[in-house]
Amino acid sequence: MSSNAFRHLHDRMLRWARPRTPEPLPAVFDRRRIYVLPTRFGLFYSMLLAVMGLGALNYNNNPALLLALLLAGAGLASLIAAQLQLSQLEVVAIDAEPVAAGTPLRARLHVRAAPGRIRRGLRVDMRSGRHDAIILNLSGDRGEADVELATEHRGWLDIPRLRISTTRPLGLARAWAYVWPQAPLLVYPAPEPDGPPLPEGRGEAAQSRLKSSGEDVHHLRAWRAGDARRAIAWKASARRDQLLVREYEQPLGVEVVLDWRATAGLPYESRIARLAHWIDLAERERRRYRLAAPGQPGLGPDHGPRHRHACLRALALMPHG
Amino acid sequence: MVLASAALCLLPLLLQLPMRIAVLVAMTAVLMTTLSWRRPLPGLLRLLLVLSLIVAVLVMSGFSIGRDTGCALLAAMIAAKPAETHRLRDARSLLGFSLFAPFATFLLDQGPLSLAFGLLASVAVLVTLQQLADLEAGDPGTPAISWRRLAGVGRLLLVGLPLALAAFWLFPRLASPLWGVPERTVARPGLSDSMRPGEWIDLMADDTPALRVKFFGPTPPTSQMYWRGPVLWDFDGREWTQPRWLQGTPPARVESRAAGWDYEIEIEPTDRQLLVSLDLLRTAPDGSRLAVDHSLFSHRPLTSLTRWRMQSAPPAHYDADIYRTLRQRALSLPEGYNPRTQALARQWREEAGDDDAAIVQRAMDWITREFAYTLSTPLPGRHTADEFLFDHKEGFCEHFSSAFVVLMRSAGIPARVVTGYTGGYYNRLGSYWLVRRSDAHAWAEVWLPGRGWVRTDPTAAVAPERIYDTLADRAPGAGGLLAAWGNVPPGLITPVLEFTDWMRHGWNDFVLGFDAERQRHILRPFGIDRLQPAQMIGLFALAAAFALLWMAWLSRRSERERDPLLRAWHRLGRRYARLGLGREPHETAGDWVARIARIRPDLEPALSELSHRFTEWRYAGGQITGQQEQAGLQALIRTLRRHRPARSSNPARIPGERR
């Protein structure tokens, strides 16, 4: 059989594996969704035992037969043991800090199980992409594993079906179960790289901008990645041997309006990217901003993490054009 | 760790292999391991090494392809394998192949030592596999050898044990092998189909068991326990041999006496087809064949322990009308050997006339009078019989029987040498007779007109104690191995050895001797005499299903709650759940009681009290140290266990109100 056809068959088999659709968490692994199959070494082992058993039967060599059967019994017991390591494991939740599309999303899988059985070294993997194995260890009755998910598009992220597997105790069989969390993980739109500065907008906005970049220095703070070059206080930095950035007085109640219409002429997704970029920029400059996206009530004016999340969320959930 | 387990697997096999090969293999293993410790050897070099190893093993075993050579090659391959063991996969395949070594050992030897080593090696391999799996899972966790690991493997073995045992006793066995059984190329000392005077010494010194016999009904006296083996007809001046044509002949006619013996022989493996039986067998048991001289051949080599049920009786007339060809055969002697014996025989014949019996008697009298028994004899020259009869006048059974038969044949009396065992040691513990290899014996049979073949034992005439085991020093351990221990009194050793042999017998009985035939009778104790194959399979399936259930149950048992109080509490909850009143996971004990109180007020008081006490212990109890507190906890657990919620709140059932 060609590997392609095999792959096809494999995919078809996977479609039958439980769960077949994303499911709400928490999900408990019961025996109906735990699969156990021998590993390649397990097959080799069983073949070995079959040969031994046949030989022993042929020669009516009872010690040899007994040995083969004992090993086979231990092997079978290890199958059960492998299954039991997953049995009653409960995937409680999966959560993640939203990130911009394109950067991997680090999702944290929370599992729980009754203590009393060793559940260590469980592997978490997903079918797409070759990742290093993610190891899930339970100490006591709970454990966590960080799963990195690739993000490509803004919007709700479909978590792929995750496989939690173990080959313990003897490496003869792999027991695995799928979990397909239907969890709200949001991916924000990727901000436009090297985008233009904030729009001048209306008169007051220009004024406030002028003011904010004026000489009214409130205090200095350490330089952070992403700060504009022109915000660096060179003289002060030279004195302190450390890059310092001018922190300006709060914009004086004058907000910048991030308007969908201001991005006219760009392709649809680029407009969203531009707005996302402006949101980041406005946050960095600690300006109050207002988002006017089509089909949505205006957000703001406000600033701060909560407002930022609300705006980015609104952008992320814009219909795909 | 991997290498250690592999070495442990290899060890018992090496013990069974010829010394030279074993040393070669062991050296290869060490060499390979050290050479490739840091980085793998280049492929070409590996191939060369392996090829030269194969050639070396073949040369050493003399190119005789047999079980030994196969096992030696396997050992060599395992020894060479570490050279390419660098990844997890390699380690696993090395371990897998290593498991074949104990298996191969059992083909060569089923002794207790091999068994112990085999088991030990298997456990080691399993422990190592477990460690590899842990490494694979990225959790090296516990050290390589720890009680936790051993316990884990032990647990797996224990869980798998019932299934293994069920399969062992009930899995349909092959009544006849699918393919031939290769013989061991190196024969063990045992009865053979040839005899050279003076060469049986190693056999005489071998104190290991040859057969064990259990009698049903009457037991013959020890002096009549002649375990008849190969009958030797042909003499070339040096060696007595058993002719090949014999195997195809039908047994000679025997009129036996009425009284007989019913017995079962358990024969240790010899890799030959030669069987023994008491004088004389009535009919050949299944799977064997009697020849014209009543030597018994099994259809296939006795590679493993076998048992034979036999009936024998002493003969009244044995082959009274002998064929002329056979008679000729029993008279033939090589030309130009033993002139003095022939002269003496001619002289006796002239003096005795036609009376064969008188000649036999005269010879026996002479031997009784003038000969002595000894195991230390000089190397024989050309005329073995002459030297023995006229020069040395001392020797052991081989000399006696050989010379006697030459003398008889020279006198014109048909005679032949019979080999086998005599006597036996009675094991009181197991009430069976143990015959050891050192009980090997050779005697003569002469053909007398009107009577047929008559057993004549010249050795017994000289040294009856050698034959009849009347002396206490013939008990196990008196000679052979334990003579080296010197000053241990035999009165102490004998019971011990008797016991160990009895254990061995039990193991043989229970495990080694189990075959298709005995399997069919497995339900005999329950009154079912014979199982049909289909019934056998059904029984096996049933037992296997039970064993699997047991496995699942045992494995599952491990997840039960450790804390007995909590366990009892959960059980209580399950009892309520059966009534549809189970505690929801999110409910506290208090909430639950409140809910029950609303739905089933009749249950409320008892449950409330219990849950109160439970909560008290669980959350307010703290450390339980005092004796009294322990007792209180036990009492609560007992109460929790005993509590049963009533099925319905039928008011008629309320105590005190009777209809």
Side-chain angles (χ1 to χ4, degrees):
Chain A
M1 196 188 286
S2 74
S3 79
N4 215 352
F6 185 76
R7 177 120 217 126
H8 184 72
L9 193 76
H10 187 69
D11 285 351
R12 173 161 295 195
M13 298 271 282
L14 278 182
R15 224 169 297 149
W16 281 101
R18 281 167 209 268
R20 291 174 201 145
T21 50
E23 59 186 340
L25 296 178
V28 183
F29 290 167
D30 57 12
R31 71 194 147 71
R32 272 180 309 175
R33 51 189 287 177
I34 299 177
Y35 301 90
V36 184
L37 273 184
T39 55
R40 211 171 298 174
F41 175 64
L43 287 178
F44 169 68
Y45 181 84
S46 52
M47 206 181 64
L48 209 75
L49 290 187
V51 171
M52 269 166 84
L54 193 64
L57 275 180
N58 188 59
Y59 299 143
N60 198 34
N61 191 317
N62 287 325
L65 185 66
L66 205 54
L67 180 78
L69 289 174
L70 267 182
L71 289 173
L76 277 178
S78 87
L79 250 67
I80 295 181
Q83 197 231 17
L84 283 177
Q85 283 188 60
L86 293 183
S87 160
Q88 298 307 316
L89 192 75
E90 189 180 6
V91 177
V92 186
I94 186 165
D95 62 33
E97 282 291 308
V99 294
T103 39
L105 180 75
R106 180 166 292 233
R108 177 158 289 199
L109 197 68
H110 300 265
V111 296
R112 192 167 64 191
R117 192 179 296 152
I118 305 171
R119 303 175 200 256
R120 296 181 65 81
L122 305 177
R123 282 165 171 258
V124 183
D125 52 57
M126 55 206 110
R127 281 207 52 223
S128 57
R130 292 278 88 202
H131 293 267
D132 283 338
I134 302 152
I135 305 293
L136 171 64
N137 284 327
L138 271 80
S139 57
D141 62 345
R142 51 192 65 236
E144 289 169 354
D146 286 337
V147 186
E148 279 205 350
L149 303 169
T151 56
E152 283 167 14
H153 309 287
R154 66 185 171 82
W156 292 119
L157 176 70
D158 290 330
I159 303 174
R161 192 153 65 162
L162 298 174
R163 188 175 79 155
I164 299 183
S165 65
T166 179
T167 57
R168 285 187 170 194
L170 293 184
L172 296 176
R174 170 173 287 114
W176 76 94
Y178 294 107
V179 59
W180 200 345
Q182 189 188 46
L185 292 189
L186 195 62
V187 177
Y188 291 160
E192 185 182 23
D194 307 321
L198 285 173
E200 301 297 321
R202 281 165 285 168
E204 348 63 305
Q207 192 186 2
S208 83
R209 188 173 165 68
L210 204 71
K211 197 155 185 148
S212 70
S213 54
E215 296 303 307
D216 190 8
V217 178
H218 210 240
H219 62 275
L220 296 166
R221 64 163 171 83
W223 183 84
R224 283 199 296 255
D227 283 331
R229 275 175 88 94
R230 60 190 162 80
I232 296 174
W234 293 109
K235 274 186 212 153
S237 300
R239 244 178 284 131
R240 301 272 301 275
D241 258 355
Q242 184 187 8
L243 278 184
L244 294 174
V245 177
R246 287 187 203 96
E247 189 102 283
Y248 296 106
E249 177 77 17
Q250 292 259 330
L252 304 168
V254 186
E255 79 272 2
V256 59
V257 178
L258 309 177
D259 196 345
W260 177 257
R261 282 166 303 185
T263 60
L266 288 171
Y268 185 74
E269 286 297 326
S270 303
R271 295 171 86 171
I272 294 173
R274 164 90 34 104
L275 287 176
H277 167 70
W278 280 343
I279 290 171
D280 282 356
L281 215 54
E283 274 299 323
R284 202 173 296 140
E285 297 185 0
R286 317 206 96 213
R287 306 265 302 266
R288 290 165 64 83
Y289 56 93
R290 208 149 66 82
L291 180 71
Q296 294 189 33
L299 290 163
D302 201 351
H303 76 110
R306 185 188 289 257
H307 182 54
R308 172 174 177 264
H309 281 304
C311 292
L312 285 174
R313 181 185 160 93
L315 286 181
L317 294 178
M318 292 255 302
H320 285 270
Chain B
M1 184 62 194
V2 173
L3 293 173
S5 317
L8 204 55
C9 285
L10 206 51
L11 183 65
L13 184 57
L14 289 186
L15 290 179
Q16 290 303 317
L17 288 176
M19 190 67 185
R20 287 178 309 162
I21 297 184
V23 170
L24 172 80
V25 169
M27 274 170 51
T28 311
V30 173
L31 193 74
M32 285 290 192
T33 314
T34 41
L35 276 184
S36 55
W37 190 256
R38 285 287 149 83
R39 60 186 161 192
L41 292 177
L44 192 68
L45 188 60
R46 281 203 312 248
L47 186 72
L48 265 171
L49 270 170
V50 167
L51 281 181
S52 54
L53 196 60
I54 293 176
V55 171
V57 168
L58 281 178
V59 167
M60 277 183 169
S61 55
F63 290 99
S64 54
I65 305 298
R67 216 178 330 152
D68 280 4
T69 319
C71 289
L73 282 177
L74 173 72
M77 291 299 104
I78 295 174
K81 193 86 175 72
E84 49 171 21
T85 301
H86 289 277
R87 282 176 300 140
L88 196 66
R89 222 201 75 188
D90 300 330
R92 281 186 170 155
S93 63
L94 171 64
L95 285 175
F97 284 119
S98 299
L99 277 179
F100 252 117
F103 172 73
T105 313
F106 291 149
L107 289 185
L108 297 179
D109 174 61
Q110 309 184 357
L113 193 67
S114 298
L115 290 175
F117 268 122
L119 263 178
L120 196 68
S122 315
V123 169
V125 166
L126 288 182
V127 168
T128 315
L129 282 182
Q130 199 189 23
Q131 191 199 0
L132 289 181
D134 289 359
L135 281 177
E136 188 186 36
D139 173 34
T142 45
I145 302 169
S146 70
W147 282 116
R148 265 243 327 268
R149 271 190 204 288
L150 278 180
V153 166
R155 188 188 179 83
L156 287 179
L157 282 173
L158 195 73
V159 169
L161 192 65
L163 187 65
L165 289 183
F168 179 76
W169 268 290
L170 296 175
F171 189 80
R173 298 297 185 97
L174 300 172
S176 57
L178 295 174
W179 67 87
V181 179
E183 280 199 40
R184 268 198 92 146
T185 45
V186 186
R188 259 182 253 207
L191 287 184
S192 75
D193 51 4
S194 67
M195 173 181 103
R196 275 177 178 227
E199 282 193 357
W200 256 19
I201 293 290
D202 357 337
L203 195 58
M204 299 290 213
D206 187 355
D207 232 359
T208 54
L211 14 139
R212 294 182 184 81
V213 189
K214 197 156 202 158
F215 284 96
F216 308 98
T219 307
T222 332
S223 62
Q224 288 304 308
M225 280 192 195
Y226 276 84
W227 306 100
R228 186 189 172 92
V231 180
L232 313 178
W233 295 72
D234 296 345
F235 186 54
D236 63 358
R238 297 276 307 129
E239 185 174 28
W240 288 91
T241 47
Q242 187 179 33
R244 285 256 156 250
W245 51 264
L246 258 175
Q247 291 202 24
T249 55
R253 209 165 57 80
V254 176
E255 284 171 41
S256 40
R257 296 191 195 137
W261 303 294
D262 185 8
Y263 56 98
E264 188 177 62
I265 296 192
E266 175 188 297
I267 298 185
E268 293 277 332
T270 59
D271 275 345
R272 296 172 189 273
Q273 290 175 288
L274 304 171
L275 280 171
V276 297
S277 61
L278 266 189
D279 253 357
L280 278 174
L281 201 59
R282 287 181 199 252
T283 49
D286 286 346
S288 66
R289 185 172 61 247
L290 270 178
V292 65
D293 56 9
H294 278 245
S295 20
L296 190 61
F297 298 94
S298 64
H299 288 333
R300 51 196 171 92
L302 308 174
T303 48
S304 56
L305 194 98
T306 47
R307 332 159 147 272
W308 307 84
R309 183 72 179 260
M310 299 174 176
Q311 283 86 32
S312 291
H317 298 277
Y318 174 17
D319 201 9
D321 23 55
I322 191 173
Y323 290 114
R324 184 209 283 275
T325 46
L326 277 183
R327 196 188 147 85
Q328 282 305 314
R329 199 93 192 190
L331 282 171
S332 69
L333 281 172
E335 290 290 326
Y337 283 91
N338 305 312
R340 282 188 281 176
T341 309
Q342 295 202 356
L344 180 72
R346 266 195 301 277
Q347 183 203 330
W348 282 6
R349 170 56 78 186
E350 274 163 27
E351 289 169 19
D354 271 353
D355 194 352
D356 286 356
I359 296 178
V360 174
Q361 193 51 52
R362 186 166 178 182
M364 291 296 278
D365 287 346
W366 182 43
I367 288 173
T368 317
R369 211 168 47 242
E370 292 187 21
F371 285 71
Y373 184 89
T374 179
L375 278 179
S376 48
T377 53
L379 281 176
R382 177 179 166 87
H383 306 296
T384 46
D386 279 8
E387 285 162 24
F388 174 71
L389 287 177
F390 301 105
D391 302 339
H392 308 307
K393 297 204 173 182
E394 57 178 22
F396 53 94
C397 58
E398 289 199 333
H399 302 99
F400 282 100
S401 56
S402 169
F404 184 79
V405 170
V406 172
L407 182 65
M408 288 301 115
R409 285 188 177 183
S410 308
I413 303 171
R416 59 195 187 191
V417 173
V418 184
T419 58
Y421 301 98
T422 45
Y425 181 82
Y426 186 64
N427 188 316
R428 280 157 297 178
L429 267 174
S431 54
Y432 62 89
W433 292 80
L434 170 70
V435 179
R436 284 154 295 168
R437 294 189 205 280
S438 53
D439 291 323
H441 188 48
W443 59 94
E445 273 183 345
V446 293
W447 189 87
L448 298 176
R451 290 178 62 190
W453 292 103
V454 177
R455 181 176 67 222
T456 326
D457 189 351
T459 325
V462 174
E465 75 284 354
R466 172 71 190 77
I467 312 304
Y468 302 144
D469 282 339
T470 48
L471 297 181
D473 66 4
R474 294 286 303 147
L481 178 72
L482 285 172
W485 291 7
N487 41 19
V488 187
L492 205 75
I493 293 172
T494 310
V496 172
L497 290 192
E498 223 172 271
F499 177 74
T500 49
D501 191 73
W502 176 66
M503 293 286 286
R504 184 78 207 271
H505 176 69
W507 170 255
N508 287 347
D509 199 38
F510 220 51
V511 175
L512 295 188
F514 193 77
D515 57 10
E517 184 54 30
R518 293 226 308 170
Q519 189 181 39
R520 254 172 270 146
H521 299 308
I522 198 161
L523 287 187
R524 194 172 265 172
F526 305 101
I528 299 167
D529 193 50
R530 212 179 169 83
L531 281 175
Q532 298 307 314
Q535 291 170 316
M536 198 74 234
I537 290 169
L539 192 64
F540 169 64
L542 200 69
F546 268 113
L548 278 172
L549 279 179
W550 190 76
M551 281 168 89
W553 180 75
L554 251 194
S555 311
R556 203 156 271 284
R557 223 170 73 95
S558 64
E559 68 179 319
R560 69 178 200 167
E561 183 55 55
R562 290 261 171 80
D563 182 355
L565 176 63
L566 214 50
R567 200 159 67 221
W569 177 247
H570 288 326
R571 265 166 67 178
L572 181 78
R574 281 201 290 278
R575 257 175 246 138
Y576 273 86
R578 252 174 261 149
L579 305 183
L581 300 170
R583 190 173 63 86
E584 297 296 328
H586 58 82
E587 267 178 328
T588 63
D591 294 346
W592 183 40
V593 172
R595 183 162 61 93
I596 298 285
R598 276 200 310 279
I599 312 172
R600 289 280 305 275
D602 59 313
L603 292 174
E604 196 264 343
L607 185 64
S608 166
E609 195 240 331
L610 278 177
S611 93
H612 183 73
R613 278 171 71 191
F614 167 76
T615 327
E616 191 103 295
W617 268 108
R618 185 107 181 100
Y619 300 105
Q623 296 305 83
I624 297 165
T625 43
Q627 195 101 46
Q628 213 164 4
E629 287 171 336
Q630 272 290 355
L633 179 65
Q634 293 304 325
L636 173 57
I637 290 174
R638 266 201 303 281
T639 325
L640 280 174
R641 281 196 190 141
R642 230 173 283 140
H643 178 76
R644 298 276 183 285
R647 195 144 275 285
S648 71
S649 54
N650 185 351
R653 289 268 191 85
I654 292 175
E657 193 186 292
R658 290 205 161 158
R659 254 191 261 187

